[in-house]
Amino acid sequence: MLKKCLFPAAGYGTRFLPATKSMPKEMMPVVSKPLIEYGVEESLQAGLSDICMVTGRGKRALEDHFDTNYELEHQIAGSDKETLLTNIRQLIDSCTFSYTRQREMKGLGHAILCGETLIGKQPFGVVLADDLCINADGPGVLAQMAQLYKQFRCSIVAVMEVPEDEVHKYGVIAGQAISDDLIRVENMVEKPAREEAPSNLAIIGRYILTPDIFDLIRDTQPGKGGEIQITDALMTQAQLGCVLAYKFKGRRFDCGSIEGFIEATNYCYDKLYAH
Ligand code: UTP
């Protein structure tokens, strides 16, 4: 039922300059695997195998990564290095990939709207690949959300508690608890000052969205920072119907920041790579 996953990946990644001057932020490797590959793996694990990417200028490496590199592959064929490509080859074989471009960086809401041409009129997942999510003890975060979608059939955002002095970096929600880990959203504010935050529950880069979100984004005026914010469109959707916030199981690393990226690298090296 959920088949498509949208990867908005058009942002400039200014916090990682100069690394991101000519390379997409999403291609930065955590140990030896680029962020985007972790994201696509998580999507496939959730059963969403139609991968739709919103890219921009200077992001061609993303398309090349999910394609065959004949010269390189011919060169290492038969050697023990070939096993290093097993994972990405399986991903490429198991998914379809389509791309569109966001020509002007007008915010995450606008990037998602650019994806409408790839998504059409069906519910879809959204993964911001610079938020690396790992659940070492069970299904990935998007798989947890896809399971909930089957039951509730409405938009779902993943949330986590953050320290009060960090709420200004996130969209922040408040609402009625349905269970220990599920909240019906009643209020949602993008990057609030500490005093204005309705809670300390911050939205991270995983969403399931119903397709009516596209019309709502079209009707959304630029908000914080002059950007079209997905949070504003989701707030309207919550008022008109239902949006759920889910406290996911697992760890999330903000790999768009240097501290988060280093933390993710250390975690993954210890958990996934070191023998
Ligand atoms: P960020 O807020 O992390 O912005 O975007 P950014 O430009 O990538 O990075 P900094 O802040 O300059 O370092 C969150 C996500 O939304 C996408 C980004 O690619 C990232 O995955 N995005 C944001 C777009 O695709 N288009 C936009 O106009 C804005």
Side-chain angles (χ1 to χ4, degrees), residues 8-15 25-26 102 105-108 111 128 130:
Y12 289 126
T14 52
R15 283 169 292 167
K25 168 168 76 172
E26 296 77 9
Q102 185 188 22
M105 301 318 132
K106 292 197 210 159
L108 177 58
L128 305 186
D130 50 350

Side-chain angles (χ1 to χ4, degrees), residues 218-238:
R218 250 187 291 279
D219 290 341
T220 300
Q221 297 304 311
K224 276 265 158 70
E227 297 191 328
I228 297 175
Q229 301 289 354
I230 187 63
T231 315
D232 295 338
L234 278 165
M235 183 60 213
T236 311
Q237 202 177 39

Side-chain angles (χ1 to χ4, degrees), residues 157-177:
V157 297
V159 294
M160 63 183 270
E161 288 179 20
V162 297
E164 281 178 10
D165 59 356
E166 287 186 20
V167 286
H168 67 278
K169 298 183 192 166
Y170 298 92
V172 177
I173 68 106
Q176 283 288 332

Side-chain angles (χ1 to χ4, degrees), residues 18-256:
T20 48
K21 187 161 173 267
S22 65
M23 181 188 78
K25 168 168 76 172
E26 296 77 9
M27 284 305 294
M28 297 209 310
V30 168
V31 191
S32 62
K33 190 163 34 167
L35 284 167
I36 192 77
E37 195 177 321
Y38 288 93
V40 171
E41 273 176 7
E42 186 184 328
S43 176
L44 181 62
Q45 193 210 39
L48 283 63
S49 58
D50 290 1
I51 307 298
C52 307
M53 288 193 199
V54 179
T55 67
R57 281 180 297 282
K59 300 271 187 172
R60 283 279 297 279
L62 288 169
E63 294 185 40
D64 290 342
H65 190 68
F66 295 101
D67 197 354
T68 307
N69 181 341
Y70 285 108
E71 212 175 296
L72 167 81
E73 295 185 33
H74 174 74
Q75 190 76 29
I76 65 169
S79 80
D80 49 3
K81 296 220 180 74
E82 205 173 3
T83 55
L84 298 173
L85 292 177
T86 307
N87 189 64
I88 180 72
R89 281 177 173 168
Q90 276 170 358
L91 268 192
I92 294 172
D93 286 344
S94 310
C95 297
T96 62
F97 296 87
S98 43
Y99 303 87
T100 189
R101 281 193 179 203
Q102 185 188 22
R103 284 185 292 132
E104 294 171 283
M105 301 318 132
K106 292 197 210 159
L108 177 58
H110 180 257
I112 291 176
L113 185 56
C114 290
E116 183 181 21
T117 182
L118 303 175
I119 299 292
K121 295 191 189 318
Q122 54 182 297
F124 59 104
V126 176
V127 168
L128 305 186
D130 50 350
D131 263 351
L132 177 60
C133 292
I134 294 178
N135 184 20
D137 306 319
V141 176
L142 204 63
Q144 297 166 37
M145 295 169 77
Q147 195 58 35
L148 277 175
Y149 179 79
K150 279 189 195 158
Q151 194 183 342
F152 292 96
R153 310 272 175 143
C154 66
S155 289
I156 306 171
V157 297
V159 294
M160 63 183 270
E161 288 179 20
V162 297
E164 281 178 10
D165 59 356
E166 287 186 20
V167 286
H168 67 278
K169 298 183 192 166
Y170 298 92
V172 177
I173 68 106
Q176 283 288 332
I178 295 178
S179 64
D180 282 353
D181 54 10
L182 207 57
I183 297 149
R184 188 181 173 127
V185 173
E186 290 173 346
N187 194 7
M188 209 180 244
V189 188
E190 181 63 23
K191 299 191 174 65
R194 189 183 185 145
E195 317 74 69
E196 284 156 18
S199 76
N200 68 339
L201 283 175
I203 304 174
I204 62 127
R206 298 290 182 278
Y207 306 75
I208 305 267
L209 299 177
T210 52
D212 53 312
I213 198 73
F214 293 124
D215 281 337
L216 298 174
I217 300 173
R218 250 187 291 279
D219 290 341
T220 300
Q221 297 304 311
K224 276 265 158 70
E227 297 191 328
I228 297 175
Q229 301 289 354
I230 187 63
T231 315
D232 295 338
L234 278 165
M235 183 60 213
T236 311
Q237 202 177 39
Q239 283 162 343
L240 295 173
C242 182
V243 173
L244 296 176
Y246 168 60
K247 291 189 206 169
F248 61 93
K249 293 178 185 61
R251 296 272 312 253
R252 169 264 184 183
F253 300 93
D254 173 13
C255 290

